[in-house]
Amino acid sequence: MPLRAVLLVLLLVPSVALVGLWGLATYELGNEYRVQAAQHDLKTTVGPRNAALFNALQRERRLTQEVLAAPEASRTALVGQRAATDRALRAFEPLVSADTSDGQQGLAAAISRTVRVTDRLAQERRAVDAGTVDEERAFTYYTEAIAAGTEVFAAISRGANGEVTGLSQVLFDLNGAVDMINREDAVLARGWPSGRLSDEDYDLVTDAVGTHEYLLKSRVAPNLNAEESRLYTAMTKSEEWRKRVELEERLQASDGEGVALSPARAKEWRTAADASVARLEELIGAHSQVSDAAGAAAVRELKLYLYSVAALGLFAVVLIVLMTWRLTTLLRRRVLAVHDQARDLEQRLPQVVARLEQGENVDVDAEVPELSPAADEFGELSRALNLAGRTAVHTAVRQAEQHRGFERLLQRIARRTQLLIGLQLKKLDALERRHEDPQLLEDLFDLDHLTARLRRYEENLVILAGGQPRRRWRRPVPLLDVLRAAQGEVQDYRRIEIDVEGRPWISERAVGPLIHILAELMENATAFSKPPAPVEVKAAPVSRGVVVEMEDRGLGMEAEQYEAANALMQEPPQMDVMTRADDVRLGLYVVARLAAGLGLQVELRPSAFGGTRVIVLVPQDLVAERPRSVPDAAGDPSPKDAGTPLTPSRRHAEPRPADGADELPVRSRGQAMADVTAPAPAPAGPPAPQTGPVPLPRRTRQASLVAELRAPAPHDPPVSPAPSSAPARSGATIGAFQRQSRKNRAAGARPSAPGTDQSEPPTREDRG
């Protein structure tokens, strides 16, 4: 992943996570607040209405039991209580449609059950009025309705807040104690008229007494606050409470038989029970206020906590996001700074290496200055990168110095070798002039040819070492002579057929490199084609200069190899003899290097014969005009021979003497081959009659070369005068020279023709 994406992930992932956590926490707190607020509202709404209905049903149950036990008793109190119960019921019934989705668990079911039970209240009342029900059935119905109200109390006592739930549980226990006292009162109410209690009624009374005592002493009293404890103590120490407890103890002390339930005791019980219930309701009211206040306080605290957490969480999220964005921005800047430093080093090192390759001196401190980065991990990375850059530049400088030193060493060795080769060529020239033995001359010519090839190889070494060939020409040279000079530097030169169209001349500054380029290409053509297949070399002027086409009949190359070779010719790489030591294409590197220096275009293509066709385009600025001072006969081919290659096959096709004498060895050196001679100027007068043996023709050095390729003759000791007969470029002349040489050796004398030039011919210069 890119750095921007990584930093963006580092920024977004914690930010999104924090925003999600903040949102989740805020949602949970908001949900908890909504639930507690709804539960508090339902408690404050449902609790009073359920308490009113709960108490009204209990009183109506007691009055109903009294009426059923004494039909002659007054019904006024029952009618009034029924009206109070109806009012409480009408206030309770709308709670069925109240939204209890966030309320206490089971509250909706408890309210619905209470409403369903109270729906039968009118029917039960009619049955009581009609006398069709007894005390037990009426007691059971009212107890069931009151139990439904108790379930409502139990539901609203369970909430999300633990403290409020604890307080509500105490309130539920208080209502349970009231229910037990009222149930005891209802059972006793139906026993007062008869003065006796049945076993079932006695069990109900004793169970109710034990239950409300347990609730009050074990569940309520330990959980009351100071004010409520004061009320509870005052209630338990009151006279009415003491009398009720005393009557309950007396009742529990008997077995239910013969208990006197006289009207006097009924009145005493009535007073004590009503007062006890009133005291309990007072305690219930006080505790309800405490519970409601605790619930309201819990809701307010939760609301404040919600707003505080939401605000602080949002502030923390924004702060963390901003800090993360800032830190990632700083981190990105630091990383980009190191990246820019690395990129600068990446761009600087090739430039430094290129300057070093060009021979410039490089100051390491100036190119890679010392840095003073921060003392942290990025600072250490910058220092390491700077140290790596300086080390790389130091290494490049040392390698460049070693490379330049090695190149200078190679050039120095190659130059000295070239000097020795030049001296060897001069010595061979002297030997070739002094000796005329055909076998010896053939060996000398072969040695001369090998020396010329050795000179080319030494020039290759100089070029690969970064130098340039030292062969220079001061005047233009015909292209044919350039091609012949290149041919003379090839090992298998006899297979090369040269054909030049027209008379193009080459500028003096391009003669030496062009000879070298053509010699390398001819060498490759002969080396990669099977003998005796010829290598055709054709040259002709074109619109943009002069083109030389070279075609062999070898194996050729693959398409990828042609592309690689042409790419090499277009952009020659920086030469390094140490890295190119194992490369078989050193000749192509030399060609590419020289061609790039001259601006030549070299292209390799597949040949129709299956081999390779090389096209060398010499641009127009390297093509020269024919010098006016050079006559047509001075080594320039005649018009009829201008386009005909001078090859061994053509030379041997010349007319020969009939005696079939052996010809002299063919000279293998370009323009200075043994079968190439220059015409001598004709005498002013008529030719003198020939007397005696016909003199042998004398070979004239550099006779076939134009004046621009000739070198001044060294001061060698004079030799015997040569015959004045004009040499001719034909096989017949060479054959006559051989025959006459054998005759003179047989006769033991070698006459000289009068009028011949007795001076030594000039020594040749370094040829291609």
Side-chain angles (χ1 to χ4, degrees):
M1 295 175 64
L3 176 62
R4 183 185 297 273
V6 172
L7 295 179
L8 187 61
V9 169
L10 292 178
L11 172 63
L12 290 180
V13 169
S15 301
V16 172
L18 287 175
V19 171
L21 291 176
W22 171 79
L24 180 62
T26 304
Y27 172 77
E28 291 295 335
L29 286 175
N31 188 43
E32 184 178 358
Y33 166 74
R34 185 180 68 256
V35 169
Q36 290 194 21
Q39 291 178 357
H40 176 71
D41 293 340
L42 288 173
K43 181 180 178 182
T44 56
T45 303
V46 175
R49 298 182 185 183
N50 184 67
L53 180 61
F54 178 80
N55 294 328
L57 288 173
Q58 286 180 339
R59 286 190 290 271
E60 185 174 347
R61 178 180 60 179
R62 179 180 60 82
L63 293 174
T64 301
Q65 292 296 311
E66 291 179 353
V67 169
L68 291 175
E72 68 281 0
S74 175
R75 292 177 177 267
T76 304
L78 177 59
V79 173
Q81 184 57 44
R82 285 178 177 178
T85 302
D86 291 339
R87 290 193 297 271
L89 183 60
R90 285 194 297 269
F92 183 83
E93 286 177 349
L95 296 177
V96 177
S97 60
D99 184 12
T100 59
S101 58
D102 295 329
Q104 293 84 345
Q105 185 178 3
L107 178 60
I111 294 173
S112 299
R113 184 171 180 272
T114 302
V115 172
R116 287 197 305 271
V117 173
T118 55
D119 285 342
R120 306 198 321 262
L121 182 59
Q123 179 181 354
E124 294 294 333
R125 287 174 178 174
R126 287 194 296 270
V128 170
D129 294 340
T132 59
V133 296
D134 56 3
E135 297 93 340
E136 186 67 27
R137 178 179 173 183
F139 179 82
T140 302
Y141 168 73
Y142 281 104
T143 301
E144 182 182 357
I146 293 170
T150 304
E151 291 181 2
V152 174
F153 280 127
I156 61 176
S157 66
R158 297 187 295 267
N161 189 285
E163 181 183 0
V164 176
T165 300
L167 295 174
S168 299
Q169 186 65 39
V170 173
L171 188 62
F172 171 74
D173 293 336
L174 285 172
N175 284 300
V178 171
D179 180 29
M180 291 299 103
I181 293 176
N182 287 324
R183 182 178 299 185
E184 178 186 358
D185 187 19
V187 173
L188 291 175
R190 69 187 182 192
W192 292 120
S194 62
R196 300 180 64 84
L197 290 177
S198 64
D199 292 340
E200 292 80 5
D201 292 342
Y202 177 79
D203 292 336
L204 289 176
V205 170
T206 55
D207 288 343
V209 171
T211 301
H212 78 72
E213 286 181 355
Y214 166 76
L215 291 175
L216 292 175
K217 292 180 181 179
S218 301
R219 302 288 298 272
V220 174
N223 298 308
L224 297 177
N225 57 21
E227 181 64 23
E228 293 171 348
S229 297
R230 187 186 62 79
L231 292 177
Y232 179 81
T233 302
M235 176 186 70
T236 56
K237 291 182 178 181
S238 63
E239 183 65 21
E240 294 81 4
W241 188 273
R242 186 182 58 80
K243 288 182 179 181
R244 183 185 62 80
V245 173
E246 182 180 354
L247 290 174
E248 291 174 349
E249 290 176 353
R250 289 180 181 178
L251 183 63
Q252 289 177 342
S254 64
D255 57 357
E257 294 293 339
V259 176
L261 296 177
S262 62
R265 288 186 179 274
K267 185 176 181 182
E268 182 181 358
W269 170 262
R270 174 85 275 120
T271 303
D274 291 342
S276 297
V277 172
R279 290 276 187 171
L280 283 175
E281 289 180 350
E282 181 183 3
L283 182 59
I284 289 173
H287 190 76
S288 297
Q289 293 179 358
V290 173
S291 178
D292 293 343
V299 172
R300 287 194 303 269
E301 290 177 359
L302 184 59
K303 182 178 181 181
L304 179 62
Y305 180 71
L306 171 63
Y307 289 162
S308 300
V309 168
L312 291 177
L314 181 60
F315 175 76
V317 167
V318 172
L319 180 62
I320 291 175
V321 169
L322 292 178
M323 290 179 63
T324 307
W325 175 80
R326 180 62 178 171
L327 291 176
T328 52
T329 302
L330 293 176
L331 180 62
R332 181 171 178 270
R333 290 178 181 175
R334 297 290 300 278
V335 174
L336 289 179
V338 177
H339 179 266
D340 293 340
Q341 183 182 355
R343 178 169 293 182
D344 180 70
L345 181 61
E346 179 184 2
Q347 296 176 356
R348 188 187 299 271
L349 284 179
Q351 296 175 359
V352 171
V353 173
R355 290 167 56 190
L356 290 172
E357 291 175 350
Q358 294 174 2
E360 297 183 15
N361 294 324
V362 175
D363 186 4
V364 179
D365 295 331
E367 296 298 333
V368 187
E370 290 284 353
L371 297 179
S372 298
D376 58 359
E377 288 78 4
F378 285 102
E380 294 177 359
L381 180 60
S382 299
R383 282 191 294 271
L385 186 61
N386 183 256
L387 179 60
R390 293 178 65 85
T391 304
V393 173
H394 273 296
T395 304
V397 170
R398 288 198 303 269
Q399 289 182 351
E401 292 176 352
Q402 294 175 359
H403 181 67
R404 284 199 293 265
F406 186 72
E407 286 183 345
R408 288 193 295 268
L409 177 62
L410 289 180
Q411 292 182 23
R412 188 176 297 112
I413 295 174
R415 297 299 184 190
R416 292 180 180 179
T417 306
Q418 284 181 336
L419 292 176
L420 296 177
I421 292 173
L423 295 176
Q424 183 176 347
L425 287 174
K426 291 181 180 179
K427 187 64 176 179
L428 288 174
D429 285 339
L431 292 176
E432 289 171 0
R433 287 195 302 269
R434 294 173 185 173
H435 301 278
E436 296 183 356
D437 180 55
Q439 186 63 38
L440 180 59
L441 284 176
E442 182 176 3
D443 294 339
L444 290 176
F445 291 158
D446 290 340
L447 184 59
D448 187 287
H449 179 66
L450 291 175
T451 305
R453 290 173 57 203
L454 179 59
R455 178 179 59 185
R456 177 166 60 86
Y457 296 154
E458 289 296 326
E459 287 183 352
N460 285 350
L461 185 59
V462 172
I463 294 171
L464 291 176
Q468 292 293 330
R470 285 191 175 181
R471 287 189 288 175
R472 298 289 186 270
W473 276 258
R474 290 175 293 179
R475 294 182 182 179
V477 177
L479 178 59
L480 178 60
D481 292 344
V482 173
L483 293 174
R484 286 174 176 173
Q487 180 186 14
E489 295 187 3
V490 179
Q491 179 180 3
D492 201 1
Y493 65 90
R494 293 178 179 87
R495 294 167 51 197
I496 301 175
E497 300 178 358
I498 299 176
D499 185 8
V500 180
E501 180 181 345
R503 304 177 183 179
W505 286 61
I506 302 301
S507 176
E508 61 274 9
R509 69 184 180 90
V511 173
L514 184 59
I515 291 175
H516 201 115
I517 291 174
L518 295 176
E520 289 291 340
L521 295 176
M522 291 179 183
E523 185 77 37
N524 287 344
T526 57
F528 291 98
S529 61
K530 185 177 181 180
V535 176
E536 299 179 357
V537 181
K538 299 180 182 180
V542 293
S543 60
R544 294 191 298 169
V546 175
V547 66
V548 178
E549 296 181 332
M550 195 176 304
E551 189 171 18
D552 62 61
R553 301 184 182 182
L555 297 177
M557 297 187 295
E558 300 294 335
E560 296 80 5
Q561 296 176 332
Y562 281 116
E563 293 179 1
N566 290 326
L568 176 66
M569 296 303 164
Q570 294 293 330
E571 297 181 1
Q574 185 67 31
M575 302 306 297
D576 188 347
V577 293
M578 291 183 287
T579 59
R580 309 293 182 184
D582 297 332
D583 201 332
V584 298
R585 300 180 299 172
L586 290 179
L588 291 180
Y589 285 117
V590 174
V591 171
R593 184 76 175 270
L594 294 176
L598 287 177
L600 305 181
Q601 296 183 12
V602 182
E603 183 180 358
L604 284 74
R605 299 178 181 177
S607 171
F609 300 103
T612 300
R613 182 183 182 188
V614 184
I615 301 175
V616 181
L617 176 61
V618 182
Q620 189 65 42
D621 58 348
L622 297 180
V623 179
E625 297 291 338
R626 177 188 180 90
R628 296 181 180 180
S629 60
V630 179
D632 184 67
D636 195 27
S638 60
K640 68 177 182 178
D641 295 334
T644 304
L646 186 58
T647 61
S649 60
R650 182 186 170 211
R651 291 195 300 268
H652 300 327
E654 299 282 348
R656 298 177 179 273
D659 56 1
D662 294 335
E663 62 177 348
L664 290 177
V666 178
R667 177 154 177 80
S668 62
R669 299 294 302 169
Q671 291 84 354
M673 290 185 292
D675 60 343
V676 180
T677 57
Q690 185 70 31
T691 59
V694 179
L696 292 174
R698 174 68 64 178
R699 182 173 66 87
T700 303
R701 301 296 297 171
Q702 303 186 17
S704 64
L705 295 180
V706 297
E708 290 76 7
L709 292 178
R710 296 176 183 176
H715 298 286
D716 292 336
V719 296
S720 59
S724 60
S725 59
R729 285 188 294 181
S730 65
T733 304
I734 298 174
F737 173 78
Q738 294 173 340
R739 290 193 302 273
Q740 192 62 33
S741 176
R742 286 194 296 271
K743 290 179 181 181
N744 290 340
R745 284 196 296 272
R750 188 184 65 179
S752 299
T756 58
D757 189 5
Q758 301 297 323
S759 62
E760 179 69 15
T763 303
R764 66 174 182 181
E765 64 175 355
D766 290 345
R767 301 184 300 273

